[in-house]
Amino acid sequence: MAAKLTLDDTATFTAPVEYTVPGGEKARFNVTYKWRTSDELKEFGKQFGQEGGSGLTDAEVFMEIATGWDLKFPFSEEAVTKLTQKYIGIAAIVLAEYFKQHTASLRQGN
């Protein structure tokens, strides 16, 4: 099915994320991300190029980019905090996928 283009400011998109848990097994789940315009994405991304990082916690970064997931527990600030505390680096994986999805058409030569 072909994607439909929209000018809706509240658009979201869903993408799969893969995280290697201790022991080497892969955990796969879908994250529903907030859509950002080109200018919004550039502004948001600037904070991660700064020396010393963004100043945000992993949970805050996750909440800045996501609106949901398909895990067996509800998406909430408390759940995101627990997830990012238990699974070291998962917020970085989710953030990398966010930028990858936003720039996918550039890599595909569209």
Side-chain angles (χ1 to χ4, degrees):
M1 184 165 112
K4 294 186 180 196
L5 301 180
T6 178
L7 298 179
D8 182 359
D9 288 341
T10 60
T12 60
F13 62 94
T14 301
V17 173
E18 185 174 275
Y19 176 80
T20 304
V21 298
E25 290 188 65
K26 303 282 187 190
R28 292 176 181 88
F29 61 101
N30 291 311
V31 174
T32 301
Y33 290 104
K34 297 175 185 176
W35 194 289
R36 282 189 163 84
T37 66
S38 178
D39 288 344
E40 290 168 341
L41 190 64
K42 286 176 193 172
E43 190 62 34
F44 178 72
K46 282 181 186 177
Q47 18 183 355
F48 300 100
Q50 298 173 5
E51 187 174 323
S54 69
L56 300 173
T57 66
D58 285 354
E60 289 170 332
V61 169
F62 204 121
M63 294 300 292
E64 279 288 318
I65 61 174
T67 62
W69 55 34
D70 67 353
L71 295 171
K72 292 187 178 187
F73 41 91
F75 181 84
S76 69
E77 189 172 347
E78 180 182 357
V80 168
T81 299
K82 287 181 180 180
L83 186 79
T84 58
Q85 286 292 310
K86 184 171 183 176
Y87 298 104
I88 298 167
I90 199 165
I93 301 293
V94 169
L95 180 64
E97 186 62 32
Y98 181 66
F99 283 109
K100 178 182 164 189
Q101 291 294 322
H102 261 299
T103 59
S105 64
L106 297 174
R107 292 186 309 283
Q108 296 170 358
N110 293 338

